[in-house]
Every structure is written in C-alpha cells, then in structure tokens.
C-alpha cells in the first residue's frame, strides 16, 4: 500500500471514488485502485453516467443487446446501472468482508423525480436493495425534506443509505436526527442497530460565493470544519453512547470535493483529513495523488501541512471566526446551503433527462426506428 494511504487510514480516513461508469470498469481502473488498496468505496453520480453515455461508446454494445428486452429508455438505463454497481460491489466485496462492513461500499442513486415523495423513496429503496443483490450496496437519498423522512424510515427498516447533499452543520444535524430516530425505534424494539449510513457533505459549492477569488478554499473548509465539529459533539453525547453501546455504528462524513464545472485539484485532500471520515475523489485526482506519492502542502484554513496528519479539529478550530468574517461581508450561509440543495436537485434532474435522451437515441439506432 502507498505509505501515505496507510497513514491516511491510520488516521481514520478512507478514500472513495466519486463517480462510476463502464469505462472505469472496462479499462481496469477500478480494479487497479482496489488492488492497490487505494479505495474503500465508490459513490455513484448521475453526471458520470451522463458523460459516459453522451461522449463515449462503452455502453453502445450493451444498449444494442438490451434494446429489445426493455420497453423504455429508463428501464434499460437502470439495468445498466445495476450491472455497473454490481460489478463494482463485487470488486470491493473483499474489502467489505475484511472490514466487517465498515468499508467496501458502492452507492446507487434513485431516479431524481422521486426526491419529494418520501413513500416512493422508501419503496424504491427496498426494491433496488433487493435488485442489487449485494450486501455492500448503499442506496442514495436526496437532500430534501422527503429524503430526511425516508432516511428515518430506511434506518428503521435496516436499509443501507447514503444521505446526499448536506451542505452545512445545520443540515447535517437534521440528517443525524432522522438517522438516530430510526436507530432508537430499532433499539426500543430490541432489533440490531448495525445499520449502515453514510452522509455526503459537498465542499466545493462554497467556492462560488468567494469574492474576490483569492483563497476560496477558506470558506468551504470552514463549513467542513463546522460540520465535523458538530459530528464530534453529537457522537460524544450520552444519547449516542446509548446507541453505540447497543451496537450502532457512527455514520461517517463523506467529503465530496470535486464536481462538474470546478477546477479539479488535490488541494482539498490534505485539508479534510479527519478521524472517522471518508473523502470522495474523481479518478483523475486520485491518479494524480497516487502518482506523486505525497501529500501537497496546504492544511485547514490555510495552515501548512507537511505530512499526513489530522487537520480538522474536533473542537472546531477557527471555523466560526472565518464564517463570521464572511457574514460581515454579507454571506447568509444558511440560505446558501438551502440554495445548494435545490441546485443539486436541479442538476440531477437535468443529468437524468440527458441520460434518458442519450439512451433513447442509442436504442432507436439499434432498433432502426425511434422509440414511442
């Protein structure tokens, strides 16, 4: 194992791949990363599938083979998703077994049109868990009010979940409350509490609010620091200790520091080191970091980092002071976090529509006639 990966894991942080598609599987990239023990999980993104379908040809043969078996572009596409997620989950199964389910997960998103329907989300989660047929698959839930309701119900039903789009400490606290309510219902019923939940915290969206650009990471890292502080305070509470005593596992924070439209870099990697957390990176950033073999300089809120070490502080560090400075300049971080959730949902719907259009076009080419 790369020595810095070993140090990173010793500090309690695990790297995930941010985005899954068939080219990553067929070119052997995922197998290579897993073989090098570089990854502990894979987080799927609609954007990665959109790019693979609209700009690549890795799905063309499968679409041609499946076109006569599926009556709609959505049904065919979800069959492709299940195949990709299943293959990735099989590659990570040894990691999942070795860690007793702490790592080795692959997440599967639900169609974004369901984002505001809690009952439909829970029903679809149960169906897709069964369809995936692997114990190391998480079903993604959207960062919407319905998503929070579904998180509580999914936890109560022992369905493994990745809760998406928690952009601030306040939003994370709402997700934490829903998760813990579900655990407490199981606790009161005498049921096992080992239910897997991961909470995704995107960081880069905050860069768009920084004027002048100067050092845009300061705002995103301050928000991440606040989220981590809230996580540490919650998990030191008597309420959590009672759940942990009965077998509950803490839901790790999954930092997401990439994203379409951003200038990808590895700047965030050393700055988001924190005990009990995960960090999702694009394949390009992961390759860059593994190739250079060392952490870049740059720590939390601009402090230098010469080696892999804990950076985010359980006590909160300077996050409050940094955020207060931005607030004096007019930042309403609560409103911004809420807007980010709406924008994330809008991007998912846009990607979904483009995916289905691309699949429909490829199906029509295969069948020799347009779909109805």
């Amino acid at each position: 194992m790369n020595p810095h990966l070993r140090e990173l894991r010793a500090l309690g942080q695990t790297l995930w791949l941010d985005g899954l598609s068939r080219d990553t599987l067929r070119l052997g990239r995922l197998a290579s990363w897993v073989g090098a023990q570089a990854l502990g999980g894979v987080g799927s993104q609609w954007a990665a599938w959109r790019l693979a379908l609209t700009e690549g040809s890795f799905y063309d043969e499968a679409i041609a083979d499946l076109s006569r078996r599926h009556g709609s572009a959505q049904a065919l596409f979800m069959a492709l998703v299940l195949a990709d997620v299943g293959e990735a989950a099989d590659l990570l199964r040894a990691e999942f077994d070795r860690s007793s389910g702490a790592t080795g997960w692959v997440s599967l998103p639900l169609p974004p049109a369901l984002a505001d329907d809690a009952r439909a989300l829970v029903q679809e989660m149960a169906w897709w868990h069964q369809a995936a047929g692997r114990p190391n698959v998480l079903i993604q839930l959207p960062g919407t009010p319905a998503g929070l309701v579904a998180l509580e119900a999914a936890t109560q039903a022992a369905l493994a979940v990745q809760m998406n789009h928690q952009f601030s400490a306040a939003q994370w606290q709402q997700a934490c409350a829903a998760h813990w309510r579900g655990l407490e219902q199981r606790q009161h019923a005498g049921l096992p509490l080992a239910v897997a939940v991961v909470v995704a915290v995107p960081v880069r969206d905050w860069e768009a609010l920084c004027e002048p650009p100067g050092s845009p990471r300061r705002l995103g890292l301050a928000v991440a620091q606040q989220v981590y502080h809230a996580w540490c305070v919650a998990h030191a509470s008597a309420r959590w200790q009672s759940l942990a005593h009965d077998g509950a596992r803490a839901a790790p924070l999954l930092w997401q520091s990439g994203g379409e439209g951003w200038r990808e870099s590895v700047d965030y990697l050393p700055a988001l080191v924190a005990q009990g957390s995960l960090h999702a990176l694009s394949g390009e950033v992961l390759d860059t970091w593994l190739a250079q073999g060392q952490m870049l300089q740059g720590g939390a809120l601009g402090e230098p980092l010469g080696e892999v070490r804990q950076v985010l502080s359980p006590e909160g560090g300077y996050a409050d002071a940094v955020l207060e400075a931005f607030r004096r300049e007019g930042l309403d971080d609560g409103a911004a976090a809420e807007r980010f959730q709406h924008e994330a949902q809008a991007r998912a719907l846009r990607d979904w529509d483009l995916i289905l259009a691309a699949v429909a076009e490829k199906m029509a080419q295969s069948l020799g006639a347009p779909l109805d």
Side-chain angles (χ1 to χ4, degrees):
M1 179 186 289
N2 180 296
H4 294 283
L5 282 170
R6 187 180 299 112
E7 293 170 3
L8 198 64
R9 288 205 176 191
L11 288 168
Q13 186 169 78
T14 303
L15 299 182
W16 278 32
L17 176 66
D18 194 12
L20 175 67
S21 63
R22 193 149 298 186
D23 55 322
T24 303
L25 294 164
R26 292 293 171 268
L27 296 175
R29 298 179 76 197
L30 182 58
S32 176
W33 292 320
V34 172
Q37 297 180 280
L39 289 180
V42 176
S44 302
Q45 303 283 354
W46 292 130
W49 276 304
R50 171 179 56 78
L51 289 171
L53 283 159
T54 58
E55 300 182 10
S57 59
F58 280 90
Y59 288 99
D60 290 1
E61 183 177 350
I63 291 173
D65 289 342
L66 296 173
S67 289
R68 296 193 181 278
R69 296 187 227 167
H70 296 279
S72 70
Q74 177 169 329
L76 191 153
F77 173 61
M78 291 309 291
L80 298 175
V81 168
L82 273 178
D84 287 353
V85 168
E87 187 173 342
D90 290 343
L91 287 170
L92 282 158
R93 180 60 186 271
E95 173 70 16
F96 177 80
D97 292 340
R98 181 201 62 77
S99 66
S100 298
T103 57
W105 292 95
V106 180
S107 68
L108 188 160
L110 296 176
L114 303 175
D116 296 317
D117 188 335
R119 178 177 297 179
L121 286 170
V122 175
Q123 291 174 342
E124 289 290 305
M125 282 184 63
W127 192 92
W128 286 107
H129 263 296
Q130 184 175 5
R134 275 82 170 176
N136 56 328
V137 171
L138 299 162
I139 305 298
Q140 295 182 21
L141 286 175
T144 61
L148 292 173
V149 174
L151 173 60
E152 180 177 345
T155 303
Q156 187 179 2
L159 298 174
V161 173
Q162 175 181 315
M163 187 67 194
N164 281 345
H165 307 141
Q166 304 303 294
F167 288 93
S168 68
Q171 289 177 351
W172 174 83
Q173 287 166 335
Q174 290 181 322
C176 177
H179 175 213
W180 287 12
R181 286 194 300 269
L183 288 174
E184 286 167 342
Q185 290 170 42
R186 292 184 64 81
Q187 185 182 46
H188 294 155
L191 298 172
L193 301 190
V195 181
V197 173
V198 170
V199 182
V201 183
V203 178
R204 275 188 180 262
D205 297 71
W206 294 97
E207 291 185 10
L209 302 182
C210 296
E211 294 291 345
S215 178
R217 289 190 306 135
R218 286 180 64 84
L219 179 54
L221 291 176
V223 172
Q225 174 67 86
Q226 277 201 332
V227 174
Y228 183 63
H229 174 57
W231 187 93
C232 291
V233 169
H235 288 87
S237 68
R239 183 183 179 189
W240 172 252
Q241 295 306 314
S242 171
L243 292 168
H245 179 269
D246 287 345
R249 283 183 168 179
L253 300 170
L254 173 62
W255 308 119
Q256 294 174 321
S257 60
E260 184 186 2
W262 299 110
R263 178 183 56 82
E264 287 279 25
S265 73
V266 292
D267 292 348
Y268 279 98
L269 181 51
L272 289 170
V273 177
Q275 178 68 37
S277 68
L278 313 167
H279 193 156
L281 305 173
S282 70
E284 292 70 23
V285 171
L286 182 62
D287 279 337
T288 298
W289 185 63
L290 291 174
Q292 71 185 20
Q294 62 181 9
M295 293 295 246
L296 296 187
Q297 296 292 318
L301 308 184
E303 297 172 1
L305 174 65
E307 59 184 8
V308 185
R309 60 174 175 81
Q310 173 88 13
V311 175
L312 296 182
S313 168
E315 288 76 37
Y318 298 101
D320 289 344
V322 171
L323 276 164
E324 187 55 40
F326 277 100
R327 287 169 186 149
R328 287 196 296 270
E329 297 297 321
L331 172 68
D332 184 339
D333 44 305
E338 184 175 352
R339 186 174 79 248
F340 293 155
Q341 286 187 325
H342 291 302
E343 290 172 350
Q345 178 62 15
R347 287 194 299 271
L349 288 166
R350 180 201 65 193
D351 287 336
W352 179 255
D353 288 342
L354 292 171
I355 285 168
L356 295 189
V359 172
E361 181 179 356
K362 291 176 185 290
M363 290 177 72
Q365 292 171 353
S366 173
L367 296 170
L371 295 180
D372 292 334

